[in-house]
Amino acid sequence: MPASSHFFVFEGIDGSGKTTVSKKVSELLNTKSIPNQWHREPTESVHGLKLREFLKGNTKLSPEEQLKLFLLDREVSVNETILPALKNGKTIVQDRYYFSTAAYQGKDEEHAADILYMNEDKGFPEPNRVYFLDLSPEEALERRNTRGGQKEAFDDEKEQTRIYQNYLAILPESTIFVDATADLEEVVNFCVEDILKLISESH
Ligand code: TYD
């Protein structure tokens, strides 16, 4: 992998703001001469599209089917987007990765850890840094209620508490926990500063 390639992942429970934050981080890095590509999972692959229908509540999928589809979608994501970009010296700023599969599809902490190993065994590349947008399940629910919009597959407090606890059990030690209740600009700047420091240390 060229020295200029880096892989940054944003994770968090629903309502933590990671889509907005990761997009803004990607834009700001581009203005600071860190050419990068924003990418999200699930992708637009056939598997990803099936998952999005399920997430919107239009179809049903068993937990086993969800896991299988997220892994298939990730293979497409890694082979068609992540690896080609990293090989070309580009940086990837990504919204969700295999930590989401472990946290969301994991029935409990032990199962979440099994799912994490399953992903690592497949040889999916490890990110240089994970940013966890930290917000309690109660606060996240309040935000989603204020924001309105369609209900999603994992949209209840008990589910979000299970997912939050799974995250805490499986996130790598080097994960940066970001206070997701802070101002958007503050959160974005905090992540960008950490990224710039990490990049400068790697040269
Ligand atoms: P996303 O589009 O990131 O929604 P949001 O911006 O509202 O967080 O994610 C869609 C949903 O997909 C989210 O509820 C988490 C779920 N998901 C999994 O269950 N497993 C996975 O492996 C991934 C990548 C996402």
Side-chain angles (χ1 to χ4, degrees):
M1 202 193 287
S4 56
S5 306
H6 285 89
F7 181 21
F8 301 111
V9 168
F10 286 80
E11 292 281 356
I13 59 175
D14 296 80
S16 59
K18 66 182 173 35
T19 303
T20 312
V21 169
S22 60
K23 276 190 179 161
K24 290 215 174 279
V25 165
S26 165
E27 284 163 18
L28 194 54
L29 286 175
N30 273 324
T31 69
K32 293 186 183 289
S33 306
I34 313 281
N36 72 91
Q37 184 176 344
W38 182 83
H39 179 54
R40 90 189 301 189
E41 292 187 10
T43 72
E44 304 293 313
S45 79
V46 278
H47 317 296
L49 295 179
K50 271 190 207 162
L51 284 164
R52 292 213 176 270
E53 282 307 299
F54 157 73
L55 292 166
K56 279 190 262 170
N58 296 342
T59 54
K60 290 228 178 314
L61 290 175
S62 71
E64 292 74 26
E65 287 170 321
Q66 292 168 39
L67 179 58
K68 196 173 147 211
L69 282 172
F70 275 115
L71 290 175
L72 285 170
D73 184 51
R74 180 149 310 113
E75 245 162 67
V76 178
S77 172
V78 166
N79 291 324
E80 293 187 5
T81 305
I82 302 172
L83 287 181
L86 297 180
K87 279 184 188 143
N88 281 321
K90 265 200 156 187
T91 285
I92 291 271
V93 174
Q94 183 157 319
D95 183 356
R96 296 196 185 280
Y97 193 39
Y98 52 58
F99 311 98
S100 284
T101 320
Y104 281 76
Q105 275 66 52
K107 290 187 207 71
D108 52 30
E109 293 176 15
E110 203 183 327
H111 189 220
D114 287 344
I115 295 176
L116 187 74
Y117 300 140
M118 216 182 275
N119 277 271
E120 287 170 350
D121 279 352
K122 284 188 175 284
F124 296 143
E126 245 181 76
N128 295 93
R129 186 81 102 195
V130 180
Y131 296 91
F132 181 67
L133 294 191
D134 196 7
L135 189 69
S136 71
E138 298 78 29
E139 281 171 300
L141 183 71
E142 232 180 83
R143 268 201 199 176
R144 296 202 302 284
N145 286 341
T146 331
R147 197 160 71 180
Q150 214 182 342
K151 276 215 162 269
E152 294 222 352
F154 303 101
D155 208 353
D156 90 46
E157 197 176 336
K158 222 170 117 218
E159 280 287 82
Q160 292 293 321
T161 302
R162 169 185 64 83
I163 294 162
Y164 184 77
Q165 279 166 353
N166 281 346
Y167 264 130
L168 296 187
I170 58 92
L171 284 170
E173 253 176 56
S174 58
T175 300
I176 304 280
F177 281 72
V178 185
D179 176 5
T181 62
D183 274 356
L184 176 63
E185 206 185 312
E186 217 176 297
V187 171
V188 171
N189 287 337
F190 177 80
C191 297
V192 168
E193 268 171 37
D194 184 75
I195 287 176
L196 294 176
K197 190 164 154 255
L198 203 137
I199 291 179
S200 75
E201 282 167 3
S202 70
H203 287 308

